[in-house]
Amino acid sequence: MSGPLVEQGFDLMLYGMGTVVVFLSLLVVATWAMSTVINRWFPDKPVEQALKPSTSIPPQVPEKTLRIIKDAIAQHRQR
Amino acid sequence: MSGPLVEQGFDLMLYGMGTVVVFLSLLVVATWAMSTVINRWFPDKPVEQALKPSTSIPPQVPEKTLRIIKDAIAQHRQR
Amino acid sequence: MSGPLVEQGFDLMLYGMGTVVVFLSLLVVATWAMSTVINRWFPDKPVEQALKPSTSIPPQVPEKTLRIIKDAIAQHRQR
Amino acid sequence: MEQLVALWTSSGIAQLSVGQFSMMLVGLGLLYLAIRKGFEPLLLVPIAVGTLLVNIPGAGLDAAPIYDAAGHMTSPGGMMYYIYEIGIASGMFPLIIFMGVGAMTDFGPLLANPKTLLLGAAAQFGIFATVLGAVSFSALGIFDFSIQDASSIGIIGGADGPTAIFVTSKLSPEILGAVAVAAYSYMALVPIIQPPIMRALTSPEERAIKMEQLRPVSKTEKIVFPLLLLLLVALFLPSAAPLIGMFIFGNLMRESGVVERLSFTAQNSLINIVTIFLGLGVGSKMSADKFLNWETLGILGLGAVAFCIGTASGVILAKIMNKYSSTPINPLIGSAGVSAVPMAARVSNKIGMEANPHNHLLMHAMGPNVAGVIGSAIAAGVMITMVGNL
Amino acid sequence: MEQLVALWTSSGIAQLSVGQFSMMLVGLGLLYLAIRKGFEPLLLVPIAVGTLLVNIPGAGLDAAPIYDAAGHMTSPGGMMYYIYEIGIASGMFPLIIFMGVGAMTDFGPLLANPKTLLLGAAAQFGIFATVLGAVSFSALGIFDFSIQDASSIGIIGGADGPTAIFVTSKLSPEILGAVAVAAYSYMALVPIIQPPIMRALTSPEERAIKMEQLRPVSKTEKIVFPLLLLLLVALFLPSAAPLIGMFIFGNLMRESGVVERLSFTAQNSLINIVTIFLGLGVGSKMSADKFLNWETLGILGLGAVAFCIGTASGVILAKIMNKYSSTPINPLIGSAGVSAVPMAARVSNKIGMEANPHNHLLMHAMGPNVAGVIGSAIAAGVMITMVGNL
Amino acid sequence: MEQLVALWTSSGIAQLSVGQFSMMLVGLGLLYLAIRKGFEPLLLVPIAVGTLLVNIPGAGLDAAPIYDAAGHMTSPGGMMYYIYEIGIASGMFPLIIFMGVGAMTDFGPLLANPKTLLLGAAAQFGIFATVLGAVSFSALGIFDFSIQDASSIGIIGGADGPTAIFVTSKLSPEILGAVAVAAYSYMALVPIIQPPIMRALTSPEERAIKMEQLRPVSKTEKIVFPLLLLLLVALFLPSAAPLIGMFIFGNLMRESGVVERLSFTAQNSLINIVTIFLGLGVGSKMSADKFLNWETLGILGLGAVAFCIGTASGVILAKIMNKYSSTPINPLIGSAGVSAVPMAARVSNKIGMEANPHNHLLMHAMGPNVAGVIGSAIAAGVMITMVGNL
Ligand code: NA
Ligand code: NA
Ligand code: NA
């Protein structure tokens, strides 16, 4: 049970798994470094930021949605 | 007023209408059989089932919708 | 500083700007004429019309939306 | 000065033919019908705008791309060319719309009373009678319709826009514009075309017949039925599989209850996007040379006849069924078999309430109504098989 | 070992050129502007990501498919290649976005005061003056712009993203990246670029001029106006028909009131989907060899000049019109004629309120603002006619 | 009579092979799993319908277009052919879905505890071990898998549908049906496959380990992280750039907070539309000749093995890390490294609560869970580089 095909499989496992581990290890280090740099020099207020997206919906959608909702509620009441 | 074209038209009417009638008749029989089998051996509770879809909306949509709605209502009140 | 390229640029400016001005002037006249004709012979009630679109949403969307809203509100209350 | 001449010769006035001008009037007329008269605006507004755009001389919106001898593209062609070739010639747009229609369809009333399927069959007689009429006109030398043209004209009587567009794009694309306009216009005219025929063929007593309330239908039945339909199509009429397949796919997304996201999108964004482009693509076949001819009058006239015969056939079969059925059948629901969902069912309901104000036929008419959709798709399959390869 | 070498030579570090590295910095810079500075993020975020992706060495995201001698595909090519070829080279993506913009546009203020259309005409002077500037630089040997390049650069001054992309993809696709980035960046910079010019050209008294309230506009006018516009385009400038045609199609869906479904989709799902892919597709033209050269600096500089001249022309014509008009015209609304809807109108309003806190110019400025969209599309049509076939 | 024969020979019964009939049963079985058992219905319902449609004899839904000698199209081909060629062979559909997944992904838990990325790496061992297993079977003559087939089978263990489809469509499109069905089925089976392995490899004390609460993560970190990831991919593994690039594009739309419209569309209409067509396209590879063979059994078996090995590897590495880490790590979160977001993380949480009802592991398991998505995409990139050109 060997031959070129199995050898290719072995190579793929070796280099593939190697790449995955090396790459993600690098990413661990890079992420840790990034977080350190950001939290030291470019901190932001996570609470305030976390709330922000819910109000930054583009006005168009709510405008329309608002209208649909009002209609829907009106229809609902009529029933 | 005959000739190959009219003949083709006749054929199309004959076989076409025939196929439609035979097919839908078959479907009547098959549907009746299906309903009989299902209602005898695999009954489900139609009322409960009918209500179910309205709660099985994937959570993602309502999550987002909920937020949009809350915003919309908030905006609406501010006016 | 002349030559065929600059000449082409000049031509483009002349004919281009000319076309834009002539076309939009024509449009001014045509728009004025259109408004005059419509407001004299085919007037409609702008207020009533302006309100109409908000109720002419196809029933499908509100139906569905209504359901989503009801779910969303229900979910919201449970929290 | 040269440039001025170039601008002028490229201008519309210098190039506009009488035909193109007339087609613009046709486009404006369609817009009037759609906006002021409410004629199926979802399709007719895009078709009308497509008609206006394609008849602008020199705009090249339906120009094909041009390649040089080496196969390199020298001109990319116009937007409407791509819409037509990618979306309509391939059949994809009508099929996607049919999927959305499937996702909007409730087979419940049909399942509660499956024999109404036969009414959906009877109403297809309008299709085939019109085919025969069209070829007879050809034989008489009045029009010049091939058997493919005749089939495309007949399918107008199916009262199903996507089916009509699908069949016509396969059999006789050059008359697609006229067929689609006729199909959607007559669907909009159902409340005007059908009532006189319905009243003529029924007595006031028949119109007042009350039908038994429909039994509740279980969720399992609603899930299994589309599969059963697909199975029968697979076994007996594979050429109907694209239309019926996409239709049941949409319906299965609806009824399975586990893919609400997909069903919602199929009924909303996706069908809306495709409708916009389908309309524009159909409009690209509304050029003067394709629409402004004697044959178009024939198409419009024969299409109306197809509607009328289909309506009558449905009502007559319903009368016959009422005689032999154990439970009463109001003949008015027969006319709903032409499809034109849900307009035709509402017409049945309205005429029924005229005869008896407590007679609610709407749900009973929904059975033949959706059966008509299936019936037309089957008829389309037969036609594509029988005349598509001639 | 061989494999390790293969992995390494296929890795980015081994292949990354200085140019690609610089373009990645450009991409990150665009992201910074879009996310932190709010520069037209809807387009600049996708363009920036496209820039990052297309400059990854060896990723092949913009690779064309490869065919062998027998015409069989041996490599399918990359995603961004298809996005560009199908959506941008054909002109479809900018046209679909223009349709969505049309569905978001209210012509009411323009209809109430149609002479503001002239302000939209005047502001296009920036476009053509810049064309002349660009070819002059070429004649002086500073840059190497063809007349097509010069036209694409001028159209930046139109302050309309989709129009700029449409024109550039037809006339000089190789500078599409730089032109699109300049167009969207300067549109975002309108609140910084325009005020000094507006203040320099007007007196405080002029800025304080109050305008008469706009008359109400009827629904019929709003429906007929787009058709009138299309008719004039069809008659006089068919080459503007794709842009204007799709714009009025969107507007007609909005104003007709009978196809709300389609209008809603055109303004939401459809325009969003196309925006994502348009941005990626434009990004695919942001490769180092196309962007990192001396000409790009010229494009950015001349684009800014086009904006400034357009702003000034609008203000100056508004001053002249104010002199001869029976009703007062605040010159500040002239600058809104460059389009950049609705930012430029808001700037007019803001500067007006500085001079007189009770002076609300917003609705008055919306007239020239949407007129500027029409004006740029007309200018685009002239350019495509005059230099597209040279 | 001729026509009757034509109709009959074109009918399904006359043509239906045993293989096609069996594949219809497979399609119905998939529908049963999707609808009644809740197996990833979003993908399996469209795949199942695609399976039914493609096996209808004579329907021609996956027929390629036919051209005559002059290059003119004589038959436009079927819808599913176009879906596959345009959307899947080009890689676009899986990439667009991956973009949507990115827009739904919160990297917060991963950023709070970046060393959980290693668990996402460990779980990829299942992929590569399975590749070795597959080629060993080939070497033993039991199955006939090429190295490309083996890679596609291994990627099932990545527990990521779009990644599996992307890799398989590039490396061995003929087994795409089986691979996709296996990938989605096993993802649905995660709550059944993983717990026994997790319990076997851990002691009750280990399962009861409480982890420290995650620190809050700032918005800037969430915006910079995807860019960092893309940068590393660009430098070290460009062949992973399409997958990772679209993933971070989606995530950036989400986290930037300035393109909510686009993010919303990417997570809803767009991903839903593409899911419908991706499923149909995958179904088009479920024809009898491609699915009904001995190799399919091998694919299904090896795919399950890949899942098991991946689960075990994740748990084992988590045990090792727990030993050497300053803060406690519950080994149960290791199994979430296979991805199958968010199912695998929920399984970790559930098994953890069995051991200690106050032990909430969900957020801790989300770190390895999304790390597993990245890990599989990296593995996909390696495979495409190493065996894609052989
Ligand atoms: Na019908
Ligand atoms: Na403009
Ligand atoms: Na994974």
Side-chain angles (χ1 to χ4, degrees), chain F residues 36-98:
Chain F
R36 289 283 154 175
K37 298 292 170 193
F39 271 37
E40 297 282 328
L42 292 175
L43 258 294
L44 286 188
V45 168
I47 291 177
V49 173
T51 304
L52 293 175
L53 293 181
V54 86
N55 284 292
I56 296 177
L61 274 158
D62 64 337
I66 301 169
Y67 298 88
D68 61 18
H72 198 82
M73 187 188 285
T74 58
S75 155
M79 183 187 63
M80 290 170 77
Y81 171 83
Y82 288 100
I83 292 174
Y84 185 84
E85 290 301 321
I86 293 175
I88 301 185
S90 72
M92 287 196 64
F93 284 174
L95 290 177
I96 293 171
I97 293 204
F98 221 52

Side-chain angles (χ1 to χ4, degrees), chain C residues 27-41:
Chain C
L27 188 57
V28 171
V29 175
T31 303
W32 172 84
M34 174 203 80
S35 288
T36 308
V37 168
I38 287 176
N39 289 325
R40 178 156 317 169
W41 288 294

Side-chain angles (χ1 to χ4, degrees), chain E residues 120 123-124 127 155-160 163 336-340 368-377:
Chain E
Q124 311 311 317
I127 293 179
I155 204 76
I156 296 171
D160 244 307
T163 302
V338 296
S339 36
N369 214 191
V370 299
V373 178
I374 300 173
S376 302

Side-chain angles (χ1 to χ4, degrees), chain D residues 171-383:
Chain D
L171 298 184
S172 33
E174 67 288 352
I175 60 168
L176 178 60
V179 168
V181 164
Y184 283 103
S185 300
Y186 294 142
M187 281 162 67
L189 286 173
V190 150
I192 291 166
I193 295 176
Q194 289 196 324
I197 301 170
M198 294 160 75
R199 291 201 192 94
L201 293 174
T202 52
S203 67
E205 292 74 42
E206 284 174 324
R207 294 202 288 274
I209 293 175
K210 274 203 169 184
M211 292 180 69
E212 284 176 10
Q213 215 194 321
L214 294 172
R215 70 168 176 90
V217 171
S218 80
K219 196 164 172 54
T220 310
E221 284 174 271
K222 287 192 179 179
I223 294 175
V224 175
F225 175 74
L227 295 171
L228 183 75
L229 173 55
L230 184 63
L231 188 76
L232 289 181
V233 165
L235 291 180
F236 299 110
L237 200 65
S239 54
L243 279 168
I244 293 285
M246 290 302 274
F247 188 64
I248 72 106
F249 180 26
N251 191 251
L252 208 53
M253 289 199 280
R254 169 199 182 88
E255 299 298 350
S256 68
V258 291
V259 290
E260 285 261 336
R261 283 180 76 107
L262 305 185
S263 172
F264 184 76
T265 296
Q267 293 177 51
N268 289 281
S269 315
L270 182 52
I271 200 173
N272 292 345
I273 291 171
V274 174
T275 300
I276 290 172
F277 293 116
L278 179 69
L280 284 180
V282 168
S284 79
K285 293 287 161 183
M286 296 283 283
S287 55
D289 58 315
K290 297 200 185 80
F291 193 86
L292 286 184
N293 50 47
W294 179 232
E295 266 69 33
T296 296
L297 273 187
I299 293 169
L300 294 174
L302 285 163
V305 169
F307 257 73
C308 296
I309 298 180
T311 302
S313 313
V315 173
I316 291 169
L317 182 64
K319 286 179 69 148
I320 298 172
M321 283 172 68
N322 183 37
K323 276 209 185 121
Y324 298 98
S325 165
S326 55
T327 57
I329 293 175
N330 188 315
L332 292 175
I333 71 169
S335 63
V338 297
S339 35
V341 184
M343 191 79 88
R346 285 196 199 138
V347 169
S348 299
N349 188 55
K350 191 171 156 250
I351 308 292
M353 288 182 82
E354 282 173 14
N356 175 352
H358 299 294
N359 199 359
H360 298 283
L361 292 175
L362 189 63
M363 291 316 286
H364 298 285
M366 286 309 296
N369 214 192
V370 300
V373 178
I374 299 173
S376 303
I378 300 297
V382 177
M383 282 171 164

Side-chain angles (χ1 to χ4, degrees), chain D residues 96-117:
Chain D
I96 294 171
I97 294 205
F98 222 51
M99 177 177 73
V101 171
M104 292 175 187
T105 297
D106 178 6
F107 280 124
L110 182 67
L111 289 169
N113 195 3
K115 65 176 172 289
T116 56
L117 275 163

Side-chain angles (χ1 to χ4, degrees), chain B residues 53-54 57 63 65-66 69-70, chain C residues 67-69 71-72 76 79:
Chain B
S54 84
I57 294 173
E63 282 278 345
T65 310
L66 181 56
I69 290 167
K70 285 197 284 186
Chain C
R67 220 179 73 197
I68 291 175
I69 290 167
D71 286 356
H76 185 47
R79 286 178 191 179

Side-chain angles (χ1 to χ4, degrees), chain C residues 1 5-6 8-10 12-13 16-17 19 23-25 27-28 30-31 34-35 38-39 44 49 53 56 58 60, chain E residues 111 114 118 121 125 132 136 138-139 145 147 151 215 218-221 224-225 232-233 257 260-261 378 382 390:
Chain C
M1 187 188 125
L5 195 59
V6 174
Q8 283 180 329
F10 243 116
L12 193 52
M13 180 158 94
M17 202 58 207
T19 306
F23 185 90
L24 289 182
S25 302
L27 188 57
V28 171
T31 303
M34 174 203 80
S35 288
I38 287 176
N39 289 325
D44 54 14
Q49 293 283 357
S56 73
Q60 265 148 348
Chain E
L111 289 169
L118 297 177
F125 186 67
L132 194 59
S136 303
S138 278
F145 295 130
I147 185 74
S151 302
R215 70 170 177 87
S218 81
K219 194 164 173 56
T220 310
E221 285 175 272
V224 175
F225 175 74
L232 288 180
V233 165
E260 285 261 336
R261 284 179 76 106
I378 300 298
V382 177
L390 293 183

